[in-house]
Amino acid sequence: MKICFVVSDVATEPVGTSVVLMRKAHQRGHEVYVMNVGGFNFYQGGPIKLTCKKIPEDLKYKTPQEFWEQIQDEQLAWTKADSSKIDVVFLRNNPTEETDDRHWAEHSGIAFGRMLQEQGVLVLNDADAMSNAFIDKLYFEELPASIKPKSLITRDKDELLKFWKKCDKKIVLKPLEGSGGQNVYLIDEEKKNFNQIITSLTELGYVIAQEFLPEVSKGDVRIILVNGRILEENGKLAVIRRVNSDKTEFRSNLSLGAKAKPAKLTKAMEHIVEITAPKLIKDGFFFVGLDVVDDKLIEINVLSPGGLDYCEAIGLPEFTDPVIEAIERKVAYKKHYTHGFSNRELASMH
């Protein structure tokens, strides 16, 4: 198949989940392209052209780092690919990580993704679904309350103060639009810098407050789902515990120094997946990350979930083969049934 990965910026993209998935697609003999989110070219009455890099079939490498360095190299030329000749466009840019000077990039991938779907290209995750869940923390609130901690979304300081008291004076505050553990604060009985934190967060937009879960001291667990099922390879599950060795740090983001290690799937985690999966499938989400603390789902990642790049280092499979195999099946279904399935149906079809 011909598959194009969309990232925020090839030049600055780290060696993460997007890169290891690209490498696996290349290893499996597919024609692989990568582009910046700013590389869409719309021609009225014609197919969208993609300014991209085509990964050479004979590229030699031993590690993901070597693979990516050669693609980032300026000697690998940019080209224009006709989207009508591309089977799959995989949206892997994260709008919530864009900087203030790149507001144009926040909606571009999803907007052009919707147009590509209309032109018959398979887009993952489904662009309409991603548009509806553009703020994934707000999409999170559409899930049943029984599997989530108590929460409040507001810009009203007085309401946040009431919620803090209701939750035994211990809550977590974070921007509604954010990722990577940035601007996340624990407000406890001491209520240090409460006014300053509220001011800085409301300047960013809406604030989400969640009750504090003491079990977070043991870290959280990232569960990666494909087609609504826990990603599995060779009998192993993509269930990764993230623990911060700094006891004063309650956040478990790998980008903030937390360490990854394998985790056991508990009955509570299974229940959360069972409750969450039907909605993800209905909405057209192919690749999703769930963050769980004990028996509560604390976050859902639908825009650009990661974690696969840590798996081999902690004794798990890389899990990239089953992801690419799942995409291969979707392309085969699309060819066999031509107009039999919508993009949303194909996106989450097993």
Side-chain angles (χ1 to χ4, degrees):
M1 63 183 175
K2 296 180 180 180
I3 181 169
C4 182
F5 290 79
V6 181
V7 299
S8 179
D9 188 339
V10 171
T12 58
E13 181 74 14
V15 178
T17 295
S18 298
V19 172
V20 296
L21 286 170
M22 268 182 248
R23 183 180 70 143
K24 181 55 66 175
H26 183 262
Q27 289 175 338
R28 291 177 69 91
H30 298 299
E31 201 168 298
V32 183
Y33 301 79
V34 61
M35 63 177 286
N36 298 331
V37 71
F40 296 101
N41 304 275
F42 172 76
Y43 297 85
Q44 187 173 357
I48 292 171
K49 296 289 180 67
L50 312 176
T51 302
C52 58
K53 288 189 174 190
K54 181 182 178 183
I55 301 175
E57 293 179 13
D58 59 352
L59 195 70
K60 304 296 182 186
Y61 50 85
K62 291 183 179 179
T63 65
Q65 287 75 18
E66 290 178 6
F67 169 80
W68 192 232
E69 284 171 5
Q70 292 180 73
I71 295 165
Q72 288 179 315
D73 195 310
E74 293 181 3
Q75 292 185 10
L76 183 58
W78 292 91
T79 186
K80 291 283 195 303
D82 185 333
S83 63
S84 66
K85 303 294 192 332
I86 299 291
D87 296 305
V88 184
V89 168
F90 201 166
L91 299 175
R92 289 291 305 163
N93 62 299
N94 191 339
T96 63
E97 293 180 353
E98 292 294 352
T99 52
D100 291 340
D101 60 336
R102 282 173 54 93
H103 283 308
W104 59 267
E106 293 177 359
H107 293 270
S108 298
I110 293 172
F112 280 101
R114 295 174 74 174
M115 297 176 77
L116 288 168
Q117 289 176 191
E118 291 297 318
Q119 294 184 0
V121 180
L122 175 60
V123 177
L124 303 172
N125 286 324
D126 179 80
D128 288 322
M130 291 179 72
S131 178
N132 293 335
F134 181 75
I135 303 176
D136 49 10
K137 291 184 180 65
L138 203 54
Y139 180 73
F140 169 85
E141 294 301 339
E142 296 181 19
L143 297 167
S146 62
I147 60 172
K148 301 179 301 185
K150 296 184 184 72
S151 64
L152 165 71
I153 297 173
T154 186
R155 298 186 75 243
D156 189 314
K157 175 187 169 184
D158 291 336
E159 292 301 317
L160 289 167
L161 192 57
K162 290 177 187 175
F163 185 75
W164 172 71
K165 292 176 181 177
K166 181 180 177 181
C167 294
D168 298 323
K169 298 183 177 180
K170 204 161 189 179
I171 59 173
V172 174
L173 297 180
K174 50 191 171 183
L176 187 60
E177 298 183 67
S179 65
Q182 299 299 314
N183 299 307
V184 179
Y185 302 93
L186 172 62
I187 308 296
D188 57 17
E189 289 184 3
E190 295 181 18
K191 206 172 57 167
K192 290 181 179 178
N193 304 319
F194 184 78
N195 290 329
Q196 182 181 344
I197 289 169
I198 294 302
T199 299
S200 66
L201 286 177
T202 52
E203 284 177 353
L204 297 173
Y206 275 90
V207 179
I208 180 167
Q210 284 184 341
E211 67 172 317
F212 178 75
L213 303 176
E215 295 83 2
V216 78
S217 62
K218 302 173 186 174
D220 66 13
V221 174
R222 165 64 57 89
I223 303 171
I224 301 175
L225 307 184
V226 165
N227 301 319
R229 302 181 182 184
I230 302 175
L231 186 56
E232 182 176 354
E233 184 173 0
N234 299 329
K236 302 286 187 179
L237 298 174
V239 180
I240 306 159
R241 183 170 294 279
R242 307 180 300 180
V243 182
N244 206 310
S245 56
D246 182 354
K247 299 302 180 184
T248 65
E249 177 57 76
F250 72 97
R251 295 170 295 178
S252 300
N253 302 78
L254 296 171
S255 59
L256 296 175
K259 301 298 182 185
K261 63 180 184 179
K264 290 183 178 180
L265 182 71
T266 65
K267 291 290 184 183
M269 292 177 197
E270 283 187 283
H271 177 68
I272 288 171
V273 172
E274 288 170 358
I275 296 297
T276 307
K279 179 170 177 58
L280 297 176
I281 293 169
K282 178 181 75 70
D283 290 347
F285 285 109
F286 164 63
F287 192 69
V288 174
L290 305 180
D291 294 342
V292 176
V293 171
D294 195 31
D295 62 348
K296 299 294 182 184
L297 177 67
I298 61 167
E299 199 155 314
I300 185 167
N301 301 270
V302 298
L303 297 177
S304 183
L308 297 187
D309 49 310
Y310 291 90
C311 291
E312 285 194 323
I314 60 174
L316 292 172
E318 194 180 59
F319 296 108
T320 50
D321 269 313
V323 176
I324 302 303
E325 287 169 4
I327 299 174
E328 291 167 353
R329 286 195 298 274
K330 296 176 193 297
V331 172
Y333 297 154
K334 194 169 187 294
K335 288 179 178 177
H336 285 304
Y337 286 92
T338 315
H339 302 293
F341 301 107
S342 68
N343 192 92
R344 179 168 294 199
E345 289 170 325
L346 272 173
S348 53
M349 188 176 292
H350 183 64

